[in-house]
Amino acid sequence: MRLTSIVFAVLIQAAAADITTLQPFQYIERELIDLDTEVKPYRLAGLKPSTGYEVRLSWPASIPATINFELIDGAVDQAGLLSPLLHKPARRLLDCEKFVFHTDNQASVQGFKDPQVLVSASRRSVHRDGPKAGVKKIVYNIVLAEVIFGLPTDIVPVVAAVLVSVVIAFIWSIYWSRSIYPWLLVWLTTSDRHPA
């Protein structure tokens, strides 16, 4: 369910005091949002010029829901409406959403004065007791991370651990092939180990 920019403008102006600031490498955990009714804004702050970023959201698989992102300019024009929305396609993952964007050389996102990410959630199923029954809210985690070479920088420890594991496996394979493997081959091919 996509909301129009006018509905977003009304919701943002009503919740202007409740805007959460999202900075790079800041993990915001256990956020709650009402299903089908609430829109939560996050102001993007601390962005570097000419840098790629991604906003990631994850939620429990036990609550069937769809979460949508919208990138807007939170600055209000003279007519009292928000600047037009720029929709960016979000990459669909299982119980996780990822939204990638880049800043220009003035650290603004696509020319926006006050970049914000709007998060909304909708049900993906109907409860057995009817559409009004079941879970009313969903809990989620959100993070803003820098992207270098297409990978978020907060996964550097995981990449380092994989590289160390590969190096250890390579060293072990050299040791195995030079000392243990020949001894095992001799042991298997000699007739002394089998009783007659």
Side-chain angles (χ1 to χ4, degrees):
M1 172 176 86
R2 291 241 184 242
L3 300 176
T4 65
S5 62
I6 295 173
V7 174
F8 273 140
V10 170
L11 291 171
I12 291 300
Q13 289 172 1
D18 297 335
I19 295 178
T20 305
T21 301
L22 188 60
Q23 297 181 352
F25 309 111
Q26 175 188 10
Y27 292 85
I28 300 177
E29 297 179 342
R30 295 180 293 279
E31 287 282 288
L32 283 173
I33 190 169
D34 292 329
L35 290 170
D36 298 322
T37 58
E38 188 177 4
V39 176
K40 276 201 155 180
Y42 292 89
R43 178 171 286 120
L44 302 178
L47 303 177
K48 296 179 187 173
S50 304
T51 306
Y53 291 95
E54 75 176 15
V55 177
R56 281 192 317 267
L57 236 142
S58 60
W59 64 95
S62 59
I63 302 172
T66 301
I67 293 189
N68 298 309
F69 287 105
E70 300 290 338
L71 179 64
I72 66 161
D73 188 357
V76 179
D77 63 14
Q78 290 81 9
L81 296 176
L82 294 173
S83 298
L85 292 173
L86 288 184
H87 299 282
K88 297 238 348 166
R91 180 177 161 209
R92 291 275 184 208
L93 300 171
L94 182 61
D95 304 323
C96 181
E97 289 291 333
K98 177 179 171 180
F99 185 82
V100 180
F101 61 91
H102 297 279
T103 58
D104 58 16
N105 54 4
Q106 279 98 26
S108 67
V109 180
Q110 300 176 358
F112 286 171
K113 296 174 189 169
D114 183 21
Q116 295 179 9
V117 172
L118 298 180
V119 177
S120 62
S122 58
R123 297 175 194 272
R124 202 172 57 201
S125 66
V126 176
H127 194 269
R128 68 174 181 246
D129 295 335
K132 299 294 181 190
V135 178
K136 306 275 188 267
K137 292 181 178 274
I138 188 168
V139 64
Y140 63 93
N141 300 333
I142 187 169
V143 64
L144 174 64
E146 255 184 65
V147 175
I148 298 175
F149 302 117
L151 297 173
T153 55
D154 58 349
I155 67 162
V156 169
V158 174
V159 172
V162 168
L163 291 176
V164 167
S165 300
V166 168
V167 168
I168 290 172
F170 180 72
I171 291 170
W172 174 253
S173 69
I174 290 173
Y175 173 72
W176 171 265
S177 65
R178 290 192 179 160
S179 61
I180 297 176
Y181 180 71
W183 175 82
L184 185 63
L185 192 58
V186 168
W187 182 76
L188 287 174
T189 58
T190 59
S191 61
D192 293 341
R193 66 180 181 89
H194 297 292

